[in-house]
Amino acid sequence: MAISQAVLATVFGILGNIISFFVCLAPIPTFVRIYKRKSSEGYQSIPYVISLFSAMLWMYYAMIKKDAMMLITINSFAFVIQIVYISLYFFYAPKKEKTLTVKFVLFVDVFGFGAIFVLTYFLIHANKRVHVLGYICMVFALSVFLAPLGIIRKVIKTKSAEFMPFGLSFFLTLSAVMWFFYGLLLKDMNIALPNVLGFIFGVLQMILFLIYKKPGTKVLEPPGIKLQDISEHVVDVVRLSTMVCNSQMRTLVPQDSADMEATIDIDEKIKGDIEKIKDDNEAFLISKN
């Protein structure tokens, strides 16, 4: 029994939705880190603003086209999740980054998309609307797929793949394959063609990762600093200072009987001070616990 193109297109569309769903969730660890540290840590909001614009553009195209429901489902989710990402970034970003984020959102997502909507919906005849909008979506998608060229150049130049996560490259490549066949089965080159480029760059990134990866390299988080550790280091410093002072005193002070007694008195006094510091430190830790 032959399977129709419509059924195959639906299957590839569902697979594309599933893979793209997890790709959309890829930035979650970044925003968990931002939330825990209460700071945007120098990250930029541009990728999320562009992703929001892409989701809006493809949703609009799918609604005009009327037979691309799979595009509507995944881009609706992408639209919501990108708004969440941008909101979290805006909340924890410094004042300068907040201002830049507002400017990007207004310029790209409001005025940019608004201009495309007015141009295609009001100034272009309905018979040509879907074609013009499809060309706009295709050009934008091609430009987005060209973005990895910067990372590829950096990997080749530094001979290190630490800037290129293999997992994300793999799933982006797999996603490009699914959406290519989805567009091909729908006979929509505006969907299929950009994903050819996405597939090529995805495979290239994975090859470069395998060539330049450095086994055993890990990104380590700085260890936490505990109050008890600080207290112990303070005591150690006092001990070290005392030892140095004692050695210097014994070297510089003439060693007659009177001086020896004075040196012993100084040593006893220093020892008493050390014991007092220890007792105060122990009492502080006990009261803290």
Side-chain angles (χ1 to χ4, degrees), residues 146-181:
L146 288 174
L149 284 175
I151 299 176
I152 291 172
R153 179 177 176 273
K154 192 171 187 179
V155 169
I156 296 174
K157 185 177 181 180
T158 61
K159 299 186 183 302
S160 172
E162 61 179 328
F163 310 104
M164 184 186 295
F166 181 83
L168 184 59
S169 298
F170 173 77
F171 281 106
L172 286 173
T173 304
L174 197 58
S175 175
V177 172
M178 299 304 161
W179 289 114
F180 167 76
F181 282 108

Side-chain angles (χ1 to χ4, degrees), residues 192-257:
L193 187 59
N195 285 288
V196 174
L197 196 61
F199 173 78
I200 293 172
F201 281 120
V203 172
L204 180 59
Q205 287 181 72
M206 290 189 290
I207 293 173
L208 289 175
F209 180 88
L210 295 175
I211 293 173
Y212 293 114
K213 70 175 180 177
K214 296 179 180 178
T217 303
K218 294 182 179 179
V219 179
L220 301 178
E221 292 290 335
I225 301 176
K226 298 180 181 179
L227 180 61
Q228 186 175 356
D229 296 335
I230 296 175
S231 303
E232 291 174 357
H233 285 304
V234 170
V235 175
D236 290 338
V237 170
V238 172
R239 289 174 182 169
L240 181 61
S241 304
T242 304
M243 292 172 62
V244 173
C245 289
N246 286 341
S247 64
Q248 289 177 346
M249 286 181 192
R250 291 188 175 91
T251 303
L252 297 176
V253 178
Q255 298 298 315
D256 56 20
S257 60

Side-chain angles (χ1 to χ4, degrees), residues 119-164:
L119 175 66
T120 56
Y121 196 84
F122 294 103
L123 302 180
I124 295 178
H125 194 273
N127 294 333
K128 297 181 180 180
R129 186 178 300 147
V130 68
H131 298 292
V132 174
L133 185 58
Y135 292 145
I136 294 173
C137 290
M138 182 175 63
V139 171
F140 177 76
L142 287 170
S143 64
V144 169
F145 278 123
L146 288 174
L149 284 175
I151 299 176
I152 291 172
R153 179 177 176 273
K154 192 171 187 179
V155 169
I156 296 174
K157 185 177 181 180
T158 61
K159 299 186 183 302
S160 172
E162 61 179 328
F163 310 104
M164 184 186 295

